[in-house]
């Protein structure tokens, strides 16, 4: 697109911040600013094809190998660009931004953030001690798909006080909230910027703000940074000669970065090149760093940090905003993990994520921290007053899905899942060809012990058919009490990225209405935490919970059975055993009360949802087997299945088919010569470890 560049700053020309002239076929929308700040950037308001499909079920299966390849390559190009960004881009773009112009703090919108989803919320980035505003440069492109991004730039020579910066951000927040009152405003702040975000939130509890805070400087009074002020005041002359030594405190020491890269496990052919690039980048950028934080500016910022920390600490009680704290375990400037835990306990609507290997500048840490992925995993992305698990869901990129699947590679290798499915004519085939490619589809099956079947099931369907299955999951995977003992929700971030939603009739309704592929286990926790001798026994409710919902949208119901848990472990201590011991009975009651109660209005064993961990005796691993039966059609049966007897009849047919699939697998696996892991390993040793291990004849 042809564009004429106009400088953001008087007398300077920048490729990063410019006004764009309209060209045919593209609609331009000016960024709005409060009257106290200049308008100097525009954003392209056009949704790319990949983004348009973000909330459509059609995006779950890209039709045609050509389309799939194009979409895959597009994401790979973006991911490759991200891998090339980071500190290098920060320094290159900072050279333009830090040129003195005498201007006040102001907002800019990075042009490389591109086009975004419809009704995307506003994201205001509040920088740390550097003030440049490029702290999320590594994330501009991905964030730009789902946000309208504005970044705050504080010129090097500017001496605006912390309280005046708070007023500046507050004016912007109020103005944009008045313009779009039904959309949240995201405040993403690191260090000093996190203090700004908290201060604005404390002063505006009635505005829908979402705070994303990286290593908040609210811990300044407990950090070693306090010692830097007298050191700088005693330091004669300009800072440049001693800058490398001071920078070693920030994790920016070139030698440290070189050593970090050595332990990353980089491919041998890339190691030397990337180490030299890191070293060269840091070494050549020392003058830029000295220009960003000259002695006088650094002293001013340190004093501002002290004032900001005290200001915010006195107002934390007033913060009501939804908050996500990201804290690093290797922050050399601030005690970030301790501070993150403190804020997590103090703030009422707060989640915490820890990055043990992260440094102070978390958003510039290449390869380990992806802000968009974090928002997906924590379910913190929304475009309205409440998070909607359907309309606010963003498909995982191929890179995200690959990383998640690879993180479970050991489980997938050990289970070596066998997948069978049934074609429309009733033929049973190896593979997943029998699963309908067009939604809505409801996959209904048996929940194995501890839900062990989930990872191989979802990952194989995704990799082999390009279908993302949306799992209906227990609410404990999404939230817990702050002082509770249930697993931390961060343990399930990957499940949320891959589309899991809390069990609720409204969520099933929305997923089916959007033509999704939905995974449902009617037996729920009762099946996943079954007792001794209850392997492969279904615990389904008496009511036909899902049939009429499926019929409403003409969804295909695909029953399936899974077998193999008894080849991996045996329950030796179950709920009945634990309940006889007072201590464990008390623990179970505590955990169950901590969890959201499901099916409290139903009767029978399925209502027995006690949260506990059974004692399991491990075995030499066998193999997992999945069998998808012939789909039940509900298209055109909406009126018929409104009748309770008719829906009950179909419900029992589905249940019977699941039991038949389980019985079939239990029988056929006896003739599988590779049921044992030892025989599979021997086969792969002779045929290659990437080869598919055979199974029984159908």
């Amino acid at each position: 697109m042809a564009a004429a560049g106009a400088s953001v700053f008087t007398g300077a020309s920048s490729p990063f911040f410019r006004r764009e002239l309209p060209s045919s076929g593209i609609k331009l929308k000016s960024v709005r600013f409060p009257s106290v700040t200049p308008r100097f950037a525009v954003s392209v308001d056009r949704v790319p094809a990949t983004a348009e499909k973000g909330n459509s079920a059609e995006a779950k299966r890209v039709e045609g190998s050509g389309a799939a390849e194009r979409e895959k390559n597009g994401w790979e190009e973006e991911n490759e660009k991200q891998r090339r960004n980071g500190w290098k881009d920060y320094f290159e773009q900072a050279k333009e931004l830090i040129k003195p112009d005498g201007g006040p703090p102001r907002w800019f919108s990075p042009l490389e953030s591109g086009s975004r989803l419809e009704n995307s919320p506003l994201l205001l980035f509040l920088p740390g001690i550097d003030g440049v505003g490029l702290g999320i440069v590594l994330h501009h492109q991905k964030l730009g798909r789902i946000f309208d991004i504005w970044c705050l730039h504080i010129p090097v020579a500017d001496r605006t006080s912390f309280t005046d910066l708070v007023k500046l951000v507050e004016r912007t927040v109020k103005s944009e909230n008045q313009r779009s009152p039904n959309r949240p405003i995201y405040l993403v702040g690191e260090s000093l910027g996190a203090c700004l975000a908290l201060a604005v939130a404390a002063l505006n509890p009635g505005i829908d703000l979402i705070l994303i805070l990286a290593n908040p400087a609210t811990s300044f009074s407990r950090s070693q940074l306090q010692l830097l002020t007298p050191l700088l005041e005693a330091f004669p002359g300009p800072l440049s000669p001693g800058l490398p030594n001071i920078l070693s405190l920030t994790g920016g020491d070139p030698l440290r970065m070189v050593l970090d890269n050595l332990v990353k496990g980089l491919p041998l052919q890339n190691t030397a090149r990337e180490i030299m690039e890191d070293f060269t980048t840091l070494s050549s950028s020392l003058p830029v760093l000295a220009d960003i934080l000259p002695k006088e500016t650094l002293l001013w910022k340190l004093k501002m940090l002290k004032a900001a920390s005290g200001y915010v600490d006195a107002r934390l009680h007033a913060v009501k905003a939804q908050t996500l704290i990201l804290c690093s375990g290797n922050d050399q400037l601030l005690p970030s993990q301790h501070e993150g835990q403190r804020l997590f306990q103090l703030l009422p609507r707060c989640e915490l994520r820890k990055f043990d290997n992260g440094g102070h500048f978390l958003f510039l840490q290449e390869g380990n921290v992806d802000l968009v992925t974090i928002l997906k995993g924590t379910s913190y992305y929304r475009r309205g007053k409440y998070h909607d698990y359907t309309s606010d869901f963003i498909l995982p990129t191929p890179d995200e899905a690959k990383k998640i699947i690879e993180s479970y590679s050991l489980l997938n290798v050990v289970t070596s899942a066998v997948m069978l499915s049934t074609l429309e004519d009733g033929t049973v085939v190896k593979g997943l060809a029998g699963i309908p490619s067009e939604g809505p589809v409801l996959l209904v099956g048996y929940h194995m012990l501890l839900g062990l079947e989930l990872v191989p099931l979802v990952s194989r369907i995704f990799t082999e058919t390009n279908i993302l299955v949306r799992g209906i999951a227990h609410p404990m995977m999404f939230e817990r009490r702050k002082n509770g003992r249930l697993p931390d929700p961060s343990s399930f971030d990957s499940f949320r990225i891959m589309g899991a939603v809390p069990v609720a009739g409204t969520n099933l309704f929305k997923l089916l209405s959007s033509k999704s592929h939905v995974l449902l286990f009617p037996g729920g926790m009762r099946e996943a935490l079954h007792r001794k001798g209850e392997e492969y026994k279904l615990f389904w409710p008496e009511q036909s919970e899902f049939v009429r919902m499926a019929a409403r949208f003409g969804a295909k119901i695909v029953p399936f059975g899974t077998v193999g848990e008894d080849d991996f472990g045996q329950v030796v201590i179950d709920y009945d055993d634990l309940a006889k011991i007072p201590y464990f009975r008390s623990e179970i009651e505590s955990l169950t009360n901590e969890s959201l109660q499901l099916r409290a209005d139903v009767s029978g064993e399925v209502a027995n949802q006690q949260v506990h961990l059974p004692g399991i005796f491990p075995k030499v691993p066998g193999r997992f087997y999945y069998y998808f039966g012939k789909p039940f059609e509900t298209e055109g049966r909406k009126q018929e299945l409104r009748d309770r007897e008719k829906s009950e009849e179909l419900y029992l047919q589905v249940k019977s088919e699941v039991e038949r699939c389980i019985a079939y697998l239990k029988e056929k696996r006896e003739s599988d010569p590779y049921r044992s892991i030892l025989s599979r390993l021997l086969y792969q040793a002779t045929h290659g470890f990437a080869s598919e291990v055979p199974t029984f004849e159908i």
Side-chain angles (χ1 to χ4, degrees):
M1 177 178 68
S7 170
V8 179
F9 308 107
T10 304
S13 177
S14 169
F16 318 116
F17 319 104
R18 59 187 178 186
R19 300 185 187 277
E20 299 222 5
L21 299 180
S23 61
S24 60
I26 296 180
K27 177 182 178 182
L28 297 180
K29 179 180 178 182
S30 296
V31 175
R32 295 171 174 80
F33 297 90
S35 57
V36 295
T37 54
R39 292 172 56 189
F40 52 79
V42 296
S43 58
V44 182
D45 191 16
R46 182 185 63 176
V47 181
T50 53
E52 285 177 342
K53 295 185 291 184
N55 297 314
S56 167
E58 293 301 320
K60 295 179 176 64
R61 183 180 180 91
V62 182
E63 295 299 335
S65 59
E69 190 64 25
R70 285 192 297 272
E71 178 156 322
K72 177 182 177 183
N73 289 339
W75 278 111
E76 285 179 348
E77 289 174 7
E78 178 177 313
N79 290 329
E80 179 60 30
K81 181 176 181 179
Q82 269 202 261
R83 283 190 286 270
R84 294 196 303 265
N85 285 340
W87 282 108
K88 183 177 181 180
D89 276 11
Y90 173 88
F91 290 131
E92 288 179 353
Q93 297 187 28
K95 291 177 184 178
E96 296 291 335
L97 266 176
I98 63 176
K99 291 179 180 178
D101 63 358
R106 80 289 309 260
W107 300 102
F108 67 86
S109 183
L111 295 179
E112 70 266 33
S113 62
S115 303
R116 55 188 181 273
L117 294 175
E118 184 180 357
N119 297 322
S120 294
L122 175 65
L123 184 152
L124 302 178
F125 174 68
L126 309 176
I129 192 172
D130 64 303
V132 177
L134 293 171
I136 55 171
V137 64
L138 184 64
H139 311 269
H140 282 169
Q141 188 171 25
K142 287 189 72 174
L143 286 171
R145 290 176 175 267
I146 58 177
F147 288 106
D148 183 7
I149 306 175
W150 299 3
C151 302
L152 180 63
H153 171 68
I154 305 172
V156 173
D158 182 76
R159 295 297 180 260
T160 303
S161 68
F162 177 76
T163 53
D164 285 340
L165 288 174
V166 172
K167 292 176 183 178
L168 184 154
V169 178
E170 186 180 20
R171 282 195 296 268
T172 303
V173 165
K174 288 182 175 179
S175 172
E176 291 304 307
N177 178 67
Q178 186 175 10
R179 187 170 70 90
S180 302
N182 296 321
R183 278 188 286 169
I185 296 175
Y186 283 72
L187 300 181
V188 177
E190 61 176 4
S191 185
L192 175 63
C195 293
L196 273 174
L198 286 166
V200 172
L203 296 171
N204 298 274
I207 296 180
D208 187 9
L209 298 175
I210 300 177
L211 312 184
I212 312 295
L213 311 179
N215 300 325
T218 46
S219 63
F220 179 80
S221 62
R222 298 178 296 281
S223 73
Q224 296 183 14
L225 275 176
Q226 296 181 98
L227 305 177
L228 199 54
T229 300
L231 176 64
L232 288 173
E233 290 175 339
F235 197 87
L239 190 60
S240 300
L243 186 61
N245 294 325
I246 294 175
L247 285 176
S248 65
L249 295 173
T250 70
D253 182 4
L255 179 59
R256 178 175 297 166
M257 294 192 70
V258 171
L259 294 176
D260 285 346
N261 268 335
L262 282 172
V263 300
K264 281 182 182 177
L266 296 173
L268 183 61
Q269 62 270 27
N270 294 331
T271 301
R273 176 179 57 83
E274 295 196 16
I275 288 176
M276 289 306 299
E277 285 180 358
D278 287 339
F279 190 91
T280 302
T281 297
L282 266 293
S283 300
S284 63
S285 300
L286 288 179
V288 182
L289 283 170
D291 289 340
I292 292 173
L293 288 174
K295 178 180 174 181
E296 296 77 12
T297 298
L298 184 54
L299 275 169
W300 171 261
K301 293 292 179 66
L302 289 171
K303 292 175 181 178
M304 184 187 291
L305 280 175
K306 182 177 180 180
S309 176
Y311 182 96
V312 172
D313 265 338
R315 293 166 174 79
L316 283 176
H317 65 278
V319 177
K320 309 301 180 186
Q322 186 181 0
T323 305
L324 175 63
I325 298 177
L326 313 176
C327 53
S328 299
N330 194 28
D331 188 342
Q332 303 298 314
L333 296 182
L334 301 169
S336 292
Q337 289 212 347
H338 288 91
E339 183 66 5
Q341 193 64 44
R342 184 180 80 95
L343 294 176
F344 173 68
Q345 295 296 332
L346 290 174
L347 300 178
R349 303 171 60 199
C350 185
E351 288 289 338
L352 176 68
R353 294 297 183 269
K354 298 179 180 180
F355 301 87
D356 292 335
N357 297 321
H360 180 71
F361 301 102
L362 192 62
F363 294 137
L364 289 173
Q365 185 170 325
E366 300 183 33
N368 294 321
V369 178
D370 186 318
L371 187 50
V372 172
T373 303
I374 292 170
L375 294 176
K376 292 179 182 181
T378 54
S379 300
Y380 260 62
Y381 181 75
R382 57 182 170 90
R383 288 174 285 176
K385 291 187 177 297
Y386 305 99
H387 178 78
D388 188 303
Y389 284 95
T390 303
S391 62
D392 288 328
F393 177 68
I394 304 168
L395 286 168
T397 66
D399 191 56
E400 289 170 340
K402 179 182 177 182
K403 287 180 180 178
I404 290 172
I405 293 173
E406 286 180 349
S407 69
Y408 294 101
S409 59
L410 179 60
L411 178 61
N412 287 324
V413 169
V414 170
T415 58
S416 187
V418 174
M419 301 277 180
L420 308 178
S421 60
T422 309
L423 303 179
E424 291 184 0
D425 61 3
T427 304
V428 179
V429 296
K430 293 179 182 178
L432 300 168
I435 295 181
S437 60
E438 296 294 330
V441 173
L442 188 60
L443 304 171
V444 184
Y446 165 71
H447 219 359
M448 286 205 298
L449 182 64
L450 302 181
L452 292 173
E453 79 288 340
L454 282 170
V455 170
L457 173 63
V458 174
S459 60
R460 281 285 291 274
I461 292 177
F462 183 82
T463 55
E464 293 187 15
T465 69
N466 206 24
I467 294 173
L468 181 66
V469 176
R470 307 292 303 276
I472 303 292
H474 196 282
M476 73 168 62
M477 293 175 58
F478 299 85
E479 58 182 334
R480 68 158 187 167
R481 295 177 185 173
K482 288 190 176 182
N483 296 316
R485 287 175 292 175
L486 287 174
D488 193 289
S490 63
S491 306
F492 306 106
D493 284 0
S494 59
F495 289 80
R496 288 189 287 273
I497 293 172
M498 296 298 287
V501 304
V503 57
T506 53
N507 286 333
L508 179 59
F509 177 94
K510 291 176 181 179
L511 289 174
L512 292 177
S513 66
S514 65
K515 302 185 183 300
S516 299
H517 285 68
V518 184
L519 179 60
L520 179 67
F521 297 100
M525 187 180 292
R526 180 60 182 87
E527 280 181 1
L529 299 177
H530 60 65
R531 319 295 189 245
K532 289 181 289 188
E534 292 180 347
E535 298 87 355
Y536 310 123
K537 182 179 179 180
L538 271 57
F539 292 94
W540 286 20
E542 296 179 0
Q543 297 86 354
S544 52
E545 293 179 316
F546 56 84
V547 171
R548 279 177 287 181
M549 185 79 77
R552 181 168 185 169
F553 301 101
K556 298 179 178 67
I557 301 176
V558 180
F560 69 94
T562 55
V563 166
E565 64 171 81
D566 54 337
D567 278 352
F568 278 75
Q570 180 180 351
V571 177
V572 292
I573 302 176
D574 61 14
Y575 168 77
D576 295 331
D577 298 322
L578 294 171
K580 294 175 183 177
I581 305 172
Y583 171 79
F584 289 112
R585 182 170 63 249
S586 176
E587 289 291 302
I588 292 172
E589 290 175 356
S590 176
L591 290 174
T592 302
N593 292 333
E594 185 182 326
S595 175
L596 179 65
Q597 297 300 297
L598 300 176
R599 289 173 168 164
D601 57 341
V602 302
S603 59
E605 272 298 311
V606 74
N608 193 0
Q609 299 278 330
Q610 284 84 359
V611 181
H612 67 285
L613 184 64
I616 302 172
F617 182 78
K619 297 181 178 180
V620 176
R623 198 172 193 182
F624 280 179
Y625 302 86
Y626 299 78
Y627 176 20
F628 296 88
K630 185 177 180 180
F632 288 88
E633 294 281 354
T634 66
E635 182 71 38
R637 302 181 64 185
K638 181 178 179 180
Q639 295 300 325
E640 173 192 351
L641 292 175
R642 280 183 176 178
D643 180 80
R644 185 171 297 276
E645 289 187 3
K646 293 291 186 181
S647 63
E648 181 70 17
E649 179 182 346
L650 179 56
Y651 178 76
L652 293 176
Q653 290 176 6
V654 174
K655 182 179 180 182
S656 177
E657 181 65 7
V658 172
E659 291 174 327
R660 187 191 70 81
C661 290
I662 292 174
Y664 175 88
L665 291 174
K666 288 175 68 176
E667 177 185 353
K668 295 294 291 185
R669 69 173 175 172
E670 297 296 333
S671 60
D672 184 0
Y674 301 102
R675 180 176 171 182
S676 168
I677 190 172
L678 299 177
S679 59
R680 294 198 301 275
L681 290 175
L682 180 60
Y683 178 89
Q684 289 180 318
T686 55
H687 293 80
F689 283 95
S691 59
E692 182 178 354
V693 180
T695 186
F696 52 77
E697 293 295 327
I698 299 177

